[in-house]
Amino acid sequence: MPLNDDPPHVRQIETDRDDAYAFELVGHITAADMENLYGLLEGAYEIHERIDVLVILRGYEGFDWQAAFKEQTMIGKTHALKHIRKYAFIGGPGWMGTMVGLFKPFLSMEMKHFGPDEIDQAWAWLGARPVETAT
């Protein structure tokens, strides 16, 4: 069986709160990555009516824009609006912070963008911490 040289672009980070979910997105984000992320969130909605989410973008190399308009992605976005209380977004290109600012007044969730050097502030704003796991 061949090894997969392309590591997952979406990695879940365990947190110290059962209703706080964190993810690291790395590299180029594809439609499959978005479906994976929204699938993980759908599982969270089955357990908790409302959740808090933190997303860290590292080594951002772009996004498949067609993924934003796929049916599964649109369903995921709609469900997110119903279930997410707080959404912290860390890193990414500068325009992402601008987009958060533009959409924030139209959304029911609290949403805040943090620079890549503000990860501790993002965790504090969310009221959660990452849990260290042994490797």
Side-chain angles (χ1 to χ4, degrees):
M1 174 161 36
L3 292 175
N4 184 357
D5 290 336
D6 191 21
H9 295 221
V10 177
R11 181 180 69 88
Q12 188 167 359
I13 301 168
E14 189 175 343
T15 74
D16 63 351
R17 282 184 30 219
D18 66 344
D19 64 342
Y21 292 80
F23 303 93
E24 181 178 57
L25 300 160
V26 180
H28 183 84
I29 308 306
T30 66
D33 296 324
M34 293 307 298
E35 288 178 23
N36 181 21
L37 177 62
Y38 283 123
L40 292 168
L41 288 172
E42 288 293 330
Y45 307 152
E46 291 293 321
I47 301 168
H48 304 284
E49 180 62 27
R50 305 281 284 168
I51 64 171
D52 295 331
V53 176
L54 181 137
V55 173
I56 304 168
L57 263 184
R58 295 194 195 274
Y60 179 77
E61 295 175 358
F63 177 83
D64 285 346
W65 286 102
Q66 66 192 21
F69 301 104
K70 287 187 76 169
E71 181 180 3
Q72 201 59 31
T73 303
M74 298 302 280
I75 291 168
K77 289 177 185 178
T78 302
H79 287 171
L81 293 174
K82 296 179 198 174
H83 295 282
I84 297 177
R85 271 186 307 253
K86 283 182 137 181
Y87 175 53
F89 189 82
I90 304 165
W95 61 263
M96 288 186 174
T98 302
M99 293 302 289
V100 167
L102 284 172
F103 287 109
K104 190 165 57 170
F106 303 104
L107 303 174
S108 60
M109 72 181 82
E110 289 183 67
M111 183 185 267
K112 191 166 182 179
H113 179 259
F114 296 86
D117 59 336
E118 298 176 311
I119 192 163
D120 290 335
Q121 293 93 319
W123 281 106
W125 180 77
L126 200 70
R129 298 290 318 152
V131 173
E132 298 295 325
T133 55
T135 53

